[in-house]
Amino acid sequence: MAVDVYLYFNGNCREAVTYYAEVFGTEQPQIMTYGDTPPNPEYPLPEEAKNLVMHSRLNINDSNIMFSDMFLGSPFIQGNNIGLAYVSKDLDHITSCFNKLKDGGTVKMELQETFWSKCYGNLQDKFGIEWQFSHENE
């Protein structure tokens, strides 16, 4: 599996991903908003977050570029709005890499099952690089 680039935006992700699709001549992207996610009564979604893009992806010349708006209240620094996504079918390797990178880093979400993956987590490593780990569904 490849390591994919993940780009974060400050409320204008839909505009950006549509623009890049046009520039690179890809298919129009599918867009999942935060409002499309299953509701969680423990964490009610603020109304102003519902139309923000949670996830979109383009395949540009055989490379996956993924996109998301930052969630409300998350810090956004233009120029530092990039991360890496490791997606694999090898659950043991995901766990091993995640555990190694969290040493000296900051875990934002421990590896856990989500509605889109049986194992997902994200962290910032000791060098300040944002990583997302996700088990690729069959």
Side-chain angles (χ1 to χ4, degrees):
M1 288 289 128
V3 173
D4 297 328
V5 176
Y6 216 110
L7 303 176
Y8 305 99
F9 294 86
N10 196 23
N12 60 343
C13 183
R14 184 181 307 272
E15 176 186 356
V17 73
T18 302
Y19 171 75
Y20 293 130
E22 182 181 316
V23 167
F24 291 100
T26 69
E27 293 181 15
Q28 285 300 306
Q30 293 184 350
I31 294 175
M32 174 188 279
T33 65
Y34 287 100
D36 293 332
T37 63
N40 181 341
E42 294 179 31
Y43 301 100
L45 189 64
E47 194 61 39
E48 59 271 22
K50 290 183 178 177
N51 288 322
L52 293 176
V53 175
M54 180 179 169
H55 178 75
S56 189
R57 180 181 57 154
L58 295 177
N59 186 282
I60 300 172
N61 199 27
D62 294 328
S63 292
N64 286 321
I65 312 295
M66 294 185 275
F67 301 80
S68 179
D69 277 314
M70 298 294 289
F71 195 74
L72 299 175
S74 297
F76 177 85
I77 301 170
Q78 191 163 347
N80 289 349
N81 53 321
I82 188 168
L84 300 173
Y86 181 77
V87 181
S88 174
K89 294 179 181 176
D90 186 341
L91 192 55
D92 291 334
H93 197 245
I94 288 171
T95 303
S96 173
C97 292
F98 185 90
N99 287 334
K100 288 175 184 175
L101 283 176
K102 77 179 187 180
D103 184 28
T106 304
V107 174
K108 297 187 174 186
M109 183 177 180
E110 282 288 351
L111 291 174
Q112 60 190 269
E113 187 169 348
T114 64
F115 71 89
W116 68 87
S117 174
K118 75 176 188 179
C119 182
Y120 173 85
N122 65 329
L123 57 82
Q124 183 180 70
D125 71 18
K126 66 182 178 180
F127 299 106
I129 304 300
E130 299 283 335
W131 289 90
Q132 294 186 51
F133 289 83
S134 187
H135 183 266
E136 183 174 18
N137 294 329
E138 300 300 324

